[in-house]
Structure formats: C-alpha cells, structure tokens
Amino acid sequence: MEARKTFDTRAGLWLCASIVLLALVATAAVIAFAPQEDLDYGQFAGAIGTPMAIILPVLAILSVTSEWSQRSGLTTFTMVPQRGRVIGAKATVAALVGVVSMLVALGVGAVGTVVGSAIAGIDPVWDVTVAQFAAIVIANLLGMAVGFMLGVLLRSSPAAIVAYFVYSFVLSTLSYTLASLQQWWADLQPWLDFNYAQTALFQDWPTGEQWAHLATASVPWLVLPLAVGLLLLRRSEVK
C-alpha cells in the first residue's frame, strides 16, 4: 500500500518520472556540450547524480508528509494503529525507490557513455568502480534519510522541503566558510557536519576514519531528530 501511495499523488508521480527525464536530459547535455576528453562514465554519472541528489530527498519527504497534506493519515492510522509500522513501511519503500533510481541512472549513464564515445569516435572509458558506485548509492540513501527525517519531524511538505534546502545549501555554505576562517571548526567539521562527512562517499569508498566521521555526525543531524520526530508523530493528532 505504501508503495502505491508513492505514485498516487501527482507530485510523487512527476518526481519519479522526472528522475528518468532528467537523467536523459543530463546525458544528452554531456554528449552535446562536454569536451571529447570528458566523455567518460564518471562525467555522465556526475551529471545524472546532481539532480537525483535533490529529487530523491524531496520524494522521501513527500512519502511521509502526504499523510497530512492529502488528509489520508486518519484512514491510514485507523487501518494500522501502530504508526511505527506505517513509518517503517514508508522508509523501506523510500529506500527501494532510491536504489532502483540509482540503478536506472547507472543504466542511462552506461548508454550515454557508449553513445557519446561512438559519436566522438573514441573508446568508452569506464572510470567508476563498483565500490565507488556503491558509495554513491549510500550517499543518496543518506540524503533521502535526511529528507525522511525532516518529513517525520515537521509533517509539513513546504516546511520540510525548505528545511532540507536550508540544511543542504545554507548551513553547508556557512560551515565551509567557518572552516576556512576558524581552525577549531576545520578540525571538528568532519565529526560534526553530516553534510560534509557525506562528501567522502562521492569521491571513493570511505576509509575507516571517514566512516567514523559519518557515524558521529549522523547522531545530532539524523538519529536524534528522527527519534524526536517519531516520538512526536506517535502522539500527534491526525485530522
């Protein structure tokens, strides 16, 4: 049922469709405008991954907040009074959508690499390893987890989407600026800035220390807010 809800609303349906459409547009743009020496798989993967890193968290947000914005929560929680089960199902579906979307991007990027190389008359360059692709999938799933957390915590589509963009762009920029000016924050940033810690996943398979950065930074930015959101959700009145 939760999988069906993901595609039932116009917003959810168009977001899912836009993943494929933007992947195709990004691939075509790389073929049309990128220099010949940049026609490698990494270039296509990066072009496709940028819009997906924005769309997937929004989709995760809507998977939760739709119960309130579409006024379906009363029916859902009447049929399944255990709200934790409903949220768990939504989280599972969101994760599956994220993985499937990344596999679609993998396929579109591969086709773009072959076609672009053929047009340019060069051999295809496959410069993304399985480990690197797995790390990118994990990075996007963590981005979806942040969006999902904001949906659970705020239960309002506009508020959660605005909060996600503030977290991703405003706070991230402020953190990088502070790190460039203050050495104490530059030392602490990998351990406390979850957004910064995630960047290691887009570069290669993380080291043990980088995994420790992710785990530590996730506590204040993901684990604790999600726990608070789940507690509030269990007690909130559904109308």
Side-chain angles (χ1 to χ4, degrees):
M1 182 172 69
E2 296 305 326
R4 176 177 55 81
K5 287 181 181 179
T6 302
F7 307 99
D8 265 357
T9 64
R10 281 181 293 181
L13 179 62
W14 278 107
L15 279 173
C16 291
S18 67
I19 291 173
V20 179
L21 293 175
L22 287 175
L24 293 172
V25 170
T27 300
V30 172
I31 294 174
F33 302 111
Q36 180 174 312
E37 61 271 14
D38 290 336
L39 288 177
D40 52 48
Y41 188 65
Q43 186 73 18
F44 285 97
I48 295 170
T50 300
M52 289 187 65
I54 298 174
I55 293 173
L56 289 176
V58 173
L59 189 62
I61 288 171
L62 295 179
S63 71
V64 180
T65 58
S66 61
E67 297 291 356
W68 282 263
S69 62
Q70 301 295 323
R71 299 178 182 270
S72 59
L74 184 60
T75 302
T76 298
F77 296 130
T78 298
M79 294 175 61
V80 185
Q82 298 86 359
R83 297 185 184 183
R85 288 179 56 190
V86 176
I87 296 303
K90 290 180 180 294
T92 301
V93 170
L96 289 174
V97 169
V99 172
V100 171
S101 298
M102 292 302 297
L103 291 176
V104 170
L106 173 69
V108 174
V111 172
T113 302
V114 173
V115 173
S117 300
I119 293 174
I122 60 177
D123 293 330
V125 178
W126 308 99
D127 56 344
V128 177
T129 66
V130 174
Q132 288 173 325
F133 180 76
I136 292 172
V137 172
I138 294 172
N140 279 279
L141 290 179
L142 287 175
M144 292 187 74
V146 172
F148 192 85
M149 174 273 292
L150 291 171
V152 171
L153 183 64
L154 301 176
R155 299 183 301 283
S156 166
S157 300
I161 291 172
V162 170
Y164 180 78
F165 283 109
V166 169
Y167 160 80
S168 298
F169 299 105
V170 178
L171 291 183
S172 177
T173 301
L174 291 175
S175 178
Y176 275 93
T177 302
L178 182 60
S180 66
L181 299 174
Q182 298 291 333
Q183 185 59 43
W184 64 269
W185 180 247
D187 296 334
L188 291 175
Q189 188 181 25
W191 298 96
L192 296 178
D193 185 342
F194 190 46
N195 211 354
Y196 177 86
Q198 284 179 258
T199 58
L201 291 165
F202 290 101
Q203 298 167 0
D204 205 338
W205 188 257
T207 64
E209 184 179 22
Q210 289 170 328
W211 282 118
H213 292 164
L214 276 168
T216 304
S218 70
V219 174
W221 289 102
L222 179 59
V223 178
L224 291 180
L226 181 59
V228 172
L230 290 172
L231 181 62
L232 295 174
L233 186 145
R234 289 171 65 88
R235 298 180 177 181
S236 66
E237 181 181 1
V238 182
K239 299 180 181 179

